Amino acid sequence: IDGPKIFAFIQGEEPMEAHEKLILALDVCSKFKDAYFEYKAKSKNQWKITTNALFVRLDSFSERCQDIKHLTNSIIQFSKLQKIDIGNTKGKTLSATVLQIFDEFQKAVEEFMQVKYDIMDIERREFEDDFYKFRQRIKELERRLASILTQGFDDCDTIIGKFKLLDSFEGLLNRPNIQDELEKKHITLLELYKQDLKTVASIFMEGKVLVDREKTEANAPISTNMPPIAGALAWTQGLLERIKEPMEKLASLSQSIQDREEFKDVQKLYSSLCNNLKQYNQQKIKQWEEGVEANTENQLNKSLLYREETPLAEEGFVRVNFDPILVKLLREVKYLTLQDYEVPERASLLYKKVNIYRTQTGNLQIIVDMYNGILSTLLPVE
């Protein structure tokens, strides 16, 4: 591996390939030293060679590879800046500043690549001065990026928005200057998430009272097109998803944040709320399953038609006797299946005939409508 090839890869917009070759070179150097020490141990220290003097050039070469790897890694990470688009009220200004930082980074790389020597030649000590200047410029850009992240973070109103902002800078967040600045914001994330957990717990406690009533109220948190059980499960699943993603993001933060008491308190609150939601789901499913067998047997054994017990019954009006309980049951099976819940075998077998029931009840309804229509238009004398 040599400097001109590294430069060729970078200029050809292939820093990842250069990065991989540098990793390979470092791996080879490491294994070479490991092999030496392994065989030296087998010889029972009969090799009277000073280790520092033996590997002085190899260690220097490894250090140079590490420096160039830092360069290629920076190019890979900073290249993401050209695709970042920040939202919210300050988004346009902050996005423009990010692009400006990216342009300055490219100029810094181009200036560094103007050196006239082989950067992999460890005898060329001027590399250390040139690389030091390059790193100082990068540190300044990192500080400016950290400032942009802080402003964008404060501009986001929701915890999900804050996490999405951090995700858009993924890869750059581990750089020391940026990480140090973001450490201060992690406590804010914990506090916001803790408040969100309390809000979700309050929504759940208030909503389940409305859902559990015999006749679900109009303001219950269930979609209008969903049956009660499947609607309740979809509602609780939505609450679970709301708290799950931020918790996964928080768990991926630095270890110093995870060791704080605030994080442990949030974990306990999250676990308790998840358990309550899951227990409620299990209770709802069990309650529904208990009524499936009796409802299907009783309702399917009824007559196909029935005569209305109303003031018009004397005229002979009839109705299709497909009980609303069966309609509700079939709808529950449909939506529970869409949500990947297991349904009782009896309900599953019933749902397999849903198209047959729909066709038969439709045909019967046409006949009944015609029959009732004739009765309603007959004169008394007829």
Side-chain angles (χ1 to χ4, degrees), residues 126-187:
E126 58 265 45
F127 168 84
E128 296 177 3
D129 294 333
D130 295 331
F131 189 63
Y132 175 78
K133 294 176 183 177
F134 173 77
R135 282 191 301 172
Q136 291 303 111
R137 294 186 64 178
I138 299 306
K139 286 181 180 179
E140 177 59 30
L141 296 179
E142 287 176 3
R143 284 190 284 269
R144 289 169 58 187
L145 270 180
S147 175
I148 291 172
L149 266 170
T150 301
Q151 294 178 58
F153 189 92
D154 294 335
D155 194 36
C156 291
D157 295 329
T158 64
I159 187 170
I160 294 296
K162 295 179 187 295
F163 276 119
K164 286 184 176 179
L165 175 67
L166 297 181
D167 288 343
S168 63
F169 285 87
E170 186 180 7
L172 288 162
L173 301 181
N174 293 328
R175 301 186 76 87
N177 290 321
I178 298 177
Q179 191 173 32
D180 291 344
E181 190 66 31
L182 287 180
E183 287 278 348
K184 305 170 187 175
K185 296 298 180 182
H186 290 166
I187 303 300

Side-chain angles (χ1 to χ4, degrees), residues 109-344:
V109 174
E110 290 172 2
E111 290 178 9
F112 177 77
M113 292 173 63
Q114 297 302 319
V115 296
K116 303 300 182 182
Y117 53 84
D118 182 355
I119 58 173
M120 299 306 297
D121 185 357
I122 60 175
E123 301 296 334
R124 304 301 295 263
R125 296 298 178 185
E126 58 265 45
F127 168 84
E128 296 177 3
D129 294 333
D130 295 331
F131 189 63
Y132 175 78
K133 294 176 183 177
F134 173 77
R135 282 191 301 172
Q136 291 303 111
R137 294 186 64 178
I138 299 306
K139 286 181 180 179
E140 177 59 30
L141 296 179
E142 287 176 3
R143 284 190 284 269
R144 289 169 58 187
L145 270 180
S147 175
I148 291 172
L149 266 170
T150 301
Q151 294 178 58
F153 189 92
D154 294 335
D155 194 36
C156 291
D157 295 329
T158 64
I159 187 170
I160 294 296
K162 295 179 187 295
F163 276 119
K164 286 184 176 179
L165 175 67
L166 297 181
D167 288 343
S168 63
F169 285 87
E170 186 180 7
L172 288 162
L173 301 181
N174 293 328
R175 301 186 76 87
N177 290 321
I178 298 177
Q179 191 173 32
D180 291 344
E181 190 66 31
L182 287 180
E183 287 278 348
K184 305 170 187 175
K185 296 298 180 182
H186 290 166
I187 303 300
T188 305
L189 282 175
L190 283 174
E191 288 299 323
L192 286 172
Y193 182 58
K194 187 175 183 180
Q195 291 300 320
D196 196 49
L197 285 175
K198 292 179 179 179
T199 301
V200 171
S202 176
I203 292 172
F204 172 62
M205 296 304 295
E206 294 174 4
K208 77 173 186 176
V209 174
L210 301 174
V211 172
D212 289 344
R213 290 179 180 173
E214 289 188 13
K215 187 176 180 181
T216 303
E217 296 189 6
N219 59 344
I222 295 179
S223 299
T224 54
N225 65 324
M226 296 188 76
I229 302 300
L233 297 180
W235 169 61
T236 53
Q237 186 61 35
L239 295 178
L240 273 171
E241 291 175 358
R242 172 174 171 174
I243 63 176
K244 183 179 179 181
E245 183 180 354
M247 188 64 206
E248 292 175 348
K249 299 288 186 184
L250 285 172
S252 64
L253 296 178
S254 62
Q255 189 62 41
S256 60
I257 296 298
Q258 296 181 33
D259 292 337
R260 297 180 68 94
E261 288 299 322
E262 293 92 334
F263 182 81
K264 294 176 182 178
D265 291 341
V266 165
Q267 272 187 319
K268 292 178 182 177
L269 188 57
Y270 170 78
S271 299
S272 175
L273 184 53
C274 283
N275 289 334
N276 290 338
L277 289 168
K278 290 175 182 177
Q279 288 175 5
Y280 180 76
N281 283 358
Q282 293 169 358
Q283 175 191 343
K284 277 291 181 184
I285 293 174
K286 184 178 180 181
Q287 174 187 347
W288 177 72
E289 288 178 348
E290 289 174 352
V292 167
E293 196 70 28
N295 286 337
T296 54
E297 288 297 330
N298 294 337
Q299 306 308 323
L300 286 174
N301 287 329
K302 289 183 178 180
S303 302
L304 292 176
L305 302 175
Y306 73 96
R307 199 172 296 278
E308 282 189 338
E309 296 179 2
T310 66
L312 295 176
E314 59 187 22
E315 299 181 13
F317 279 32
V318 295
R319 292 289 181 260
V320 178
N321 194 23
F322 197 76
D323 200 285
I325 293 178
L326 285 175
V327 177
K328 182 179 176 181
L329 176 64
L330 291 171
R331 293 183 70 234
E332 291 283 10
V333 175
K334 174 184 176 180
Y335 284 98
L336 287 173
T337 304
L338 289 173
Q339 296 179 53
D340 295 327
Y341 285 103
E342 291 186 9
V343 297

Side-chain angles (χ1 to χ4, degrees), residues 330-363:
L330 291 171
R331 293 183 70 234
E332 291 283 10
V333 175
K334 174 184 176 180
Y335 284 98
L336 287 173
T337 304
L338 289 173
Q339 296 179 53
D340 295 327
Y341 285 103
E342 291 186 9
V343 297
E345 184 179 358
R346 179 67 179 170
S348 181
L349 292 173
L350 181 69
Y351 186 71
K352 287 181 180 178
K353 299 179 181 179
V354 65
N355 290 326
I356 296 175
Y357 293 138
R358 184 182 293 113
T359 303
Q360 290 179 347
T361 54
N363 291 336

